[in-house]
Amino acid sequence: MCPPVRRADTQVGPYMRPRIDNLKWVGLFTIVMVFVGLAGVVEAQQPKKVHRIGLLSSTRSGPITEAFRQALQARGYNEGKDVVIEYRYAEGKLDRLPGLAAELVSLKVDLIVVLSTQAAIAAKQASTTIPIVMAISGDVVGTGVIASLARPGGNVTGMTTFSPEVSGKRLALLKEAFPKISRVAVLGDPTSPAHQLDWQELQPVGRHLAVQLQSLEVRSPNPDFKGAFASATKARADAFLTLPPPLMAFHQNEIVALVA
């Protein structure tokens, strides 16, 4: 289990997008963990097996998925020839994840790669024997996906990028960039496992900076972004901040349009 990843070269703004080199690193790391998982299902002196990998995600994530495929190919594993990848996307509707995870289990995949905390929870609930590799995840200890970062236990391993203090830092940077702001609207999904921790992290920073925080909650699977923005406008918010994805990632174009 890797420690939380904190990249200094991550862009800061209403929406944080990892640099492409970070995405490639995620792909490379995931491949290493995939090989570890597949090692247990390969037996000596048997005909070459075409492995079946399930990829489960709350949303479509083109750059990360492409990095994953390229890293496989670079190591001689070509999709459709050496490995078959079963893609399952919840399209932002988190209540679909348990059913999609069950589909992957029914297909008897050798391993499941997950791209969100919610996907990891769904995969673990669907199977306690199929190896599960987290390419991206949040508070997997607090949500019970693993026992601890040092000793995950069970059938789940991988990487976590959980660091709620980043939310407080983003608020501080926003205030530094625009010193006159006094009220910030914060858009978040309370159904996300990390939402409450991120919100709690913002409170002391807001008090220290003399910034009043307005919580704008939007829930999956049909978030009312227009209603949230109307509330922020009515309250005369000076600035706008989003808490981490996946919901925000799936609707980023809509959010940017409303901000504009």
Side-chain angles (χ1 to χ4, degrees), residues 63-178:
I64 295 178
T65 303
E66 182 59 29
F68 178 58
R69 283 196 293 257
Q70 289 179 5
L72 275 173
Q73 188 174 17
R75 284 153 182 77
Y77 287 80
N78 298 294
E79 184 177 2
K81 180 181 178 181
D82 306 294
V83 294
V84 174
I85 304 177
E86 299 286 351
Y87 301 94
R88 294 296 185 275
Y89 301 109
E91 307 292 0
K93 300 178 180 179
L94 303 183
D95 57 339
R96 294 184 56 198
L97 286 171
L100 296 175
E103 285 184 23
L104 293 176
V105 172
S106 68
L107 292 173
K108 297 182 179 180
V109 295
D110 298 298
L111 180 141
I112 300 176
V113 175
V114 295
L115 303 185
S116 71
T117 307
Q118 292 92 334
I121 293 172
K124 183 179 180 181
Q125 291 174 344
S127 174
T128 57
T129 56
I130 297 176
I132 299 169
V133 175
M134 302 178 298
I136 300 175
S137 64
D139 185 12
V140 288
V141 176
T143 53
V145 175
I146 61 173
S148 70
L149 295 178
R151 298 180 181 277
N155 60 323
V156 183
T157 189
M159 182 179 72
T160 176
T161 55
F162 179 62
S163 51
E165 63 271 18
V166 171
S167 294
K169 183 62 176 177
R170 291 170 65 210
L171 178 60
L173 289 173
L174 184 62
K175 178 68 172 179
E176 182 179 343
F178 304 97

Side-chain angles (χ1 to χ4, degrees), residues 17 51 55 87 103 120 138 143 151 184 196 205-206 221 227 258-260:
R17 179 185 299 278
H51 295 290
L55 189 146
Y87 301 94
E103 285 184 23
T143 53
R151 298 180 181 277
V184 175
Q196 191 60 36
V205 180
L258 288 169
V259 170

